[in-house]
């Protein structure tokens, strides 16, 4: 019987009613087996029968039931429920490892430019300007990234681009004003202030391109500066080529800023809703987290302002962050891998206890993989630095350990931020930064690396325990 075609049935004679009805019911069960087997209750079967054209009168005449609902209840009893498994859904966390490798490379490549600008950063007045630029630009870029991604999450691409464009321009104005004020207060107005401001402008423009998936535009913009820096270092950093390399850095900054503005200028003016106060309020924890994370990363520079025991120039201190910058690509990939793993864990476990145990294993494995990856990058950076004669000037295991543990804390903070927002880690990371600063303020002879290792080591343990307690609940991963 085709869908929607109900058989024309003669009224059943009393003597034949029961045997004939049983045959017709058996035929009905066979014909609508899929409907009955997948139904969770008789009402679902009744709705399906009515959609096929069965009426109360048809059911009374042909099957001897008072109405469609009574027939549906009988079919529900006759056909054992056997719901079909839903087709597997595609894993939303599957991603290309090469895309994250490219992003990690783009995070780290700008660090190659610091040796070119080493003379600009050798003055002690450059250190506070670099600290200010790093903290302000990281804070603003985190807030800008949140605003862009929140609109992209609502499938509002034009709105995201508008927010990114206006947010970048406003942030650049704020950044330049802050660095300029710092230069006036420290008497450091000059090339160091220009470099510090340029560093922050680059980070803001790169953030816009990352959020808008413009990585290859960033590659094109970085090419002049990175290639010039590579040639400059390969030739032994001759002073005669330094001016040309600095000019190439300026060209790269102009290109990247132009690309960021150009890509986000495609939507027509007024094509999307303007920025709302509610969005700005929601962005402040990301601003705070960005400032704290930058403070933890720039702590060696900050310590140079607070204690005479801190050694090494500003350029070496910034180069020390190169492997951590490169590891951000691995961190992104591992975060996707972790979410994919917990998704599979949700599908194959039926008890909360089993999921919690599996979630702990996934978390531990993810952290270990990140630390191993970062350790390899640190070793490779050190060897490459030795070949070309530049830092980071790590001469002890203490230095390696301090930066490795710092990377682990930032990775865990980013992982927790992805699940529950930055507010969940603000107290942990902010407290750690306060302890670091307080330690070197009250003990000016303290070893900066030892302080960093001890504080970040404690923070790493605390974040692992906090993440395990938060992420062992299935509801966090749905």
């Amino acid at each position: 019987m085709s869908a929607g075609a109900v058989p024309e049935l003669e009224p059943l004679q009393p003597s034949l009613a029961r045997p004939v009805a049983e045959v017709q019911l058996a035929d009905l069960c066979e014909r609508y087996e899929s409907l009955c087997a997948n139904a969770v209750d008789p009402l679902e079967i009744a709705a399906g029968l009515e959609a096929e054209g069965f009426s109360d009168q048809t059911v009374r005449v042909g099957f001897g039931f008072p109405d469609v609902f009574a027939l549906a209840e009988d079919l529900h009893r006759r056909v054992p429920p056997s719901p079909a498994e839903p087709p597997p859904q595609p894993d939303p966390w599957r991603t290309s490892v090469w895309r994250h490798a490219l992003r990690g490379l783009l995070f780290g490549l700008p660090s190659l430019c610091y040796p070119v600008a080493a003379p600009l950063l050798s003055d002690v007045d450059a250190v506070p300007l670099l600290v200010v630029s790093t903290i302000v630009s990281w804070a603003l870029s985190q807030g800008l990234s949140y605003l862009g991604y929140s609109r992209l999450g609502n499938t509002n691409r034009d709105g995201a681009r508008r927010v990114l464009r206006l947010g970048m321009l406003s942030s650049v104005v704020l950044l330049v004003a802050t660095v300029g004020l710092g230069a006036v207060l420290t008497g450091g107005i000059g090339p160091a202030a220009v470099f510090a401001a340029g560093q922050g402008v680059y980070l803001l423009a790169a953030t816009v391109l990352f959020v808008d998936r413009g990585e290859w535009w960033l590659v094109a913009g970085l090419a002049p500066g990175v290639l010039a820096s590579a040639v400059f270092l390969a030739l032994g950093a001759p002073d005669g080529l330094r001016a040309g390399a600095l000019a190439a850095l300026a060209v790269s900054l102009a290109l990247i800023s132009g690309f960021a503005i150009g890509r986000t200028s495609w939507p027509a003016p007024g094509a999307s809703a303007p920025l709302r106060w509610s969005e700005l309020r929601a962005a402040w924890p990301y601003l705070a987290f960005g400032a704290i994370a930058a403070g933890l990363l720039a702590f060696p520079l900050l310590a140079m302002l607070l204690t005479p025991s801190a050694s090494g120039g500003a350029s070496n201190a910034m180069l020390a962050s190169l492997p951590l910058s490169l590891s951000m690509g691995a961190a992104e990939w591992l975060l996707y891998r972790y979410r994919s793993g917990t998704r599979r864990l949700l599908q194959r476990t039926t008890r909360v206890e089993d999921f919690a145990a599996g979630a702990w294993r996934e978390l531990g494995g993810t952290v270990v993989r990140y630390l191993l990856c970062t350790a390899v990058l640190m070793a490779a950076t050190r060897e490459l630095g030795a070949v070309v004669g530049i830092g980071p000037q790590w001469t002890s295991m203490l230095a390696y350990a301090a930066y490795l543990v710092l990377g682990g804390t930032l990775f865990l903070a980013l992982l927790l931020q992805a699940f529950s927002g930055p507010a969940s880690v603000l107290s942990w990371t902010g407290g750690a930064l306060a302890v670091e600063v307080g330690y070197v303020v009250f003990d000016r002879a303290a070893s900066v690396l030892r302080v960093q290792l001890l504080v970040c080591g404690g923070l790493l343990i605390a974040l692992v325990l906090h993440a395990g307690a938060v992420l062992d609940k299935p509801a966090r991963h749905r």
Side-chain angles (χ1 to χ4, degrees):
M1 181 178 64
S2 61
V6 180
E8 294 293 335
L9 301 172
E10 294 293 332
L12 297 178
Q13 299 299 321
S15 60
L16 301 176
R18 193 62 187 171
V20 174
E22 286 294 330
V23 172
Q24 291 178 341
L25 284 171
D27 181 60
L28 203 62
C29 288
E30 181 179 353
R31 189 170 295 120
Y32 292 104
E33 180 181 7
S34 176
L35 170 65
C36 298
N38 287 287
V40 296
D41 58 40
L43 292 178
E44 199 170 335
I45 299 176
L49 293 175
E50 288 180 336
E52 291 291 320
F54 285 82
S55 65
D56 290 343
Q57 181 180 3
T58 304
V59 169
R60 281 194 300 272
V61 171
F63 302 97
F65 289 93
D67 52 36
V68 175
F69 296 100
L71 174 61
E73 289 179 358
D74 186 75
L75 294 179
H76 188 64
R77 287 191 297 270
R78 291 170 181 269
V79 180
S82 178
E85 288 291 331
Q89 297 297 312
D91 186 352
W93 302 111
R94 287 183 63 86
T95 184
S96 168
V97 65
W98 298 111
R99 176 171 176 263
H100 295 290
L102 172 63
R103 288 169 69 91
L105 192 61
L106 291 175
F107 281 128
L109 278 178
S111 299
L112 294 177
C113 304
Y114 284 102
V116 176
L120 306 181
L121 308 178
S122 59
D123 192 343
V124 68
D125 291 333
V127 176
L129 298 180
L130 283 173
V131 171
V132 168
S133 171
T134 300
I135 293 177
V136 173
S137 60
W138 269 56
L140 293 174
S141 65
Q142 283 287 305
L144 188 59
S145 177
Y146 164 76
L147 292 173
Y149 279 124
S150 65
R151 291 211 171 185
L152 285 175
N154 294 324
T155 64
N156 185 2
R157 191 172 187 82
D158 285 350
R161 284 179 164 171
R162 182 180 185 185
V163 165
L164 289 171
R165 181 177 69 255
L166 297 178
M168 173 191 162
L169 295 175
S170 302
S171 297
V172 165
V173 171
L174 180 59
L175 170 71
V176 171
T178 305
V179 173
L181 178 60
V184 170
L185 294 176
T186 61
I189 298 177
V194 174
F195 183 86
Q199 168 192 264
V201 171
Y202 163 77
L203 181 58
L204 292 167
T207 297
V208 170
L209 291 175
F210 274 129
V211 174
D212 199 44
R213 289 183 171 267
E215 289 92 348
W216 289 108
W217 289 96
L218 189 54
V219 170
L222 278 174
V226 170
L227 290 176
S229 298
V231 171
F232 175 78
L233 294 173
L235 295 177
D239 288 335
L241 295 181
R242 194 178 299 276
L246 287 172
L249 297 185
V251 170
S252 281
L253 179 60
L255 285 174
I256 292 167
S257 302
F259 292 155
I261 294 173
R263 277 185 65 89
T264 55
S265 297
W266 291 350
S272 58
L275 192 62
R276 295 180 292 272
W277 280 111
S278 59
E279 291 177 290
L280 290 175
R281 286 195 301 271
W284 82 262
Y286 294 85
L287 286 162
F289 175 76
I292 294 170
L296 290 170
L297 188 65
F299 172 67
L301 285 179
L302 187 59
M304 291 173 63
L305 303 175
L306 302 173
T307 174
S309 66
S311 60
S315 59
N316 281 339
M318 298 306 291
L319 279 166
S321 67
L322 173 59
L324 298 189
S325 299
L326 290 170
S327 75
M328 287 299 102
E332 286 187 344
W333 176 70
L334 287 170
L335 177 57
Y336 273 79
R337 193 175 187 273
Y338 171 75
R339 301 200 78 157
S340 180
T342 55
R343 179 179 180 273
R344 291 194 301 272
L345 189 62
L346 275 175
Q347 293 174 336
R348 68 173 183 262
T349 55
T350 57
R351 298 195 312 158
V352 174
E353 296 82 2
D354 294 338
F355 177 84
W360 271 101
R361 288 193 297 271
E362 285 285 343
L363 177 64
T366 300
V367 173
V368 169
R369 291 184 194 97
Y370 172 80
L371 292 175
L372 289 175
C373 181
T374 305
V376 170
L377 287 172
M378 292 172 70
T381 302
R382 176 66 183 89
E383 293 304 314
L384 181 61
V387 171
V388 300
I390 63 172
Q393 302 301 327
W394 287 324
T395 57
S396 69
M397 289 302 296
L398 179 63
Y400 282 103
Y403 279 93
L404 181 61
V405 172
L406 173 61
T409 60
L410 293 178
F411 171 68
L412 269 171
L414 290 172
L415 187 147
L416 281 164
Q417 176 180 301
F419 280 91
S420 53
S424 63
V425 295
L426 283 181
S427 58
W428 293 107
T429 53
L433 180 60
V435 170
E436 285 184 343
V437 173
Y439 204 108
V440 297
V441 166
F442 289 105
D443 185 2
R444 291 179 175 269
S447 166
V448 173
L449 290 176
R450 186 170 288 109
V451 170
Q452 188 178 48
L453 176 59
L454 290 175
V455 175
C456 287
L459 177 61
L460 180 62
I461 294 172
L463 288 179
V464 167
L465 296 176
H466 178 61
V470 169
L471 301 178
D472 67 353
K473 298 173 179 59
R476 288 286 185 179
H477 302 267
R478 296 190 187 280

